[in-house]
Amino acid sequence: MNAVQIRSAERALSVGTWLIVGGAMLFSILTVTPLMERHSPKGWEWTAPILPLVVDAAVVIVVRLDAVLAGMGGHGGRWPIALRWMTGAMTLALNVADSALKKDVVGAAVHAVAPLLLIVTAETGLAYRRAITAAQSAREAQLKVERAERERAATERREAQERRVREEREHAAQLAREQREHEALIAREQTVREEAVRREERERTEARERAEREARERREQMREQQQAERERLEREAAQRRERDRLEREQEARRQQQERAEREARERAALLAAGPVNEKLPEDKARLVVHASFGEGLPVRAAADLCGWSIGWVSARYQEHRDGGLVLEGASS
């Protein structure tokens, strides 16, 4: 049986058992209560249902606890058996007592059906529950064995896989080691050949470098001699240029000094005439204004010396200023 079948059987057994117990309890209460009313002291008839309820409560306890113990695979010992049979016998006696006192055999047989069915159902349910528990335990044991078998098979497969992987890894490592040794041998032979080639190449290179160094040293000596000769010629040329420059500067300063002295004499001659009463010719008036501007005379004094108006002299002064600014900008 699988787990679904076991649960279904337990559910059917539980529902059927409690239906039978409930029907038997109801039938017992309805049957025993009138008997207890007739045999109770006067005024205590209301206590008639208590006895069937107590007996039926004992039946419920027995059935329920037996079901729990059977489900757990346990056994309560002799006292549960005694209680179960005692409650069954009490229920049977109470149900058939009224008919037996009346010597009604048919009534006694009819009223014995429910108690007997309850007793047999309790015993049968207990047996069923023990059988179901045993089947469930067997199922769990089988599942446990199957699970252990699957785990063992999985472990064996894993170990076989690990062993195969380890063997493959060891084989690959051995191949790799042999390949490395072979490559190392080839590399050593190649290194020896390359070292011989490099040694020959180094010797050829050293010989070539030695020849090139000697040639370079000769070229360096020749270049140094040429450089020294060129530097000597350049120094002599620079000295000649410096002498020529100094001579030109001296000549330029001398000429500039002579020109400045000549201009100063000319300005002094123009300004020595003093104020005039009539306008001088324009070209001479311009010379006078230029001399006045050079000497830093005011505009009015320049106008008195040339006889022209202050506005005309101011315009010439402005021209000289503009010309001086232009000259300064060009020189800068």
Side-chain angles (χ1 to χ4, degrees):
M1 296 178 66
N2 55 29
V4 176
Q5 292 174 337
I6 293 174
R7 284 196 299 271
S8 177
E10 287 181 346
R11 192 179 304 110
L13 178 61
S14 179
V15 172
T17 301
W18 287 113
L19 284 175
I20 294 172
V21 171
M25 287 176 60
L26 179 61
F27 185 79
S28 177
I29 291 171
L30 296 176
T31 301
V32 178
T33 299
L35 176 63
M36 294 305 300
E37 287 179 351
R38 289 194 302 270
H39 292 82
S40 297
K42 188 174 182 58
W44 291 88
E45 292 83 358
W46 60 271
T47 62
I50 294 176
L51 181 59
L53 284 175
V54 171
V55 175
D56 293 338
V59 173
V60 171
I61 291 173
V62 169
V63 173
R64 178 60 181 165
L65 291 180
D66 284 343
V68 172
L69 286 174
M72 295 174 62
H75 193 276
R78 294 189 300 270
W79 285 107
I81 297 174
L83 180 61
R84 186 168 62 249
W85 281 98
M86 187 178 67
T87 54
M90 287 179 180
T91 303
L92 177 61
L94 289 173
N95 277 272
V96 302
D98 192 21
S99 299
L101 291 174
K102 295 177 181 179
K103 299 187 180 338
D104 184 3
V105 178
V106 176
V110 171
H111 286 90
V113 172
L116 291 175
L117 183 62
L118 179 61
I119 293 171
V120 174
T121 300
E123 293 295 331
T124 306
L126 181 60
Y128 278 147
R129 290 187 184 279
R130 287 175 179 171
I132 291 172
T133 301
Q136 190 171 7
S137 299
R139 175 65 179 172
E140 291 178 355
Q142 181 181 0
L143 293 176
K144 190 173 183 180
V145 171
E146 292 177 356
R147 186 166 54 251
E149 186 66 24
R150 286 195 301 271
E151 291 178 355
R152 186 180 60 79
T155 302
E156 291 178 355
R157 287 195 301 271
R158 186 171 59 254
E159 290 177 354
Q161 180 68 20
E162 291 177 354
R163 185 168 56 254
R164 184 168 57 253
V165 171
R166 185 170 58 253
E167 291 174 355
E168 292 177 354
R169 189 165 54 246
E170 290 175 356
H171 181 65
Q174 183 178 359
L175 292 178
R177 186 168 56 254
E178 293 176 356
Q179 180 67 22
R180 286 195 300 272
E181 292 175 355
H182 181 66
E183 292 177 354
L185 179 60
I186 295 175
R188 284 194 298 273
E189 294 176 354
Q190 182 68 22
T191 302
V192 171
R193 289 194 297 269
E194 291 178 354
E195 183 65 25
V197 172
R198 282 197 297 271
R199 186 168 55 254
E200 294 176 357
E201 182 67 23
R202 187 166 54 251
E203 292 175 356
R204 288 195 299 269
T205 302
E206 290 176 355
R208 186 173 59 253
E209 289 178 353
R210 191 164 49 250
E212 291 177 354
R213 186 169 55 254
E214 293 175 356
R216 188 167 55 252
E217 290 176 354
R218 288 193 297 271
R219 288 195 300 271
E220 287 291 334
Q221 292 176 357
M222 293 178 63
R223 188 164 52 250
E224 289 176 358
Q225 293 175 358
Q226 294 174 357
Q227 181 68 21
E229 183 66 20
R230 188 165 51 252
E231 290 177 355
R232 185 182 63 78
L233 295 175
E234 289 178 354
R235 283 196 301 273
E236 293 177 356
Q239 291 174 358
R240 287 195 298 272
R241 288 194 298 273
E242 183 66 20
R243 286 195 300 271
D244 294 341
R245 186 181 64 78
L246 293 175
E247 291 176 356
R248 286 195 300 272
E249 289 179 355
Q250 291 176 359
E251 182 65 21
R253 283 197 298 272
R254 186 180 59 77
Q255 292 178 0
Q256 185 178 3
Q257 183 177 3
E258 291 178 354
R259 186 168 56 252
E261 292 176 354
R262 186 172 59 252
E263 289 177 356
R265 286 194 301 271
E266 291 176 354
R267 285 196 301 271
L270 290 172
L271 297 177
V276 296
N277 294 325
E278 57 182 9
K279 293 170 60 175
L280 296 175
E282 184 176 355
D283 54 351
K284 189 173 181 180
R286 285 181 176 274
L287 293 175
V288 173
V289 171
H290 178 69
S292 300
F293 181 80
E295 293 295 331
L297 296 178
V299 176
R300 181 177 296 277
D304 293 339
L305 291 174
C306 67
W308 287 69
S309 65
I310 295 175
W312 185 84
V313 174
S314 297
R316 303 293 79 75
Y317 264 49
Q318 187 63 37
E319 290 177 357
H320 288 301
R321 292 192 190 96
D322 294 340
L325 290 174
V326 171
L327 292 174
E328 290 177 0
S331 63
S332 62

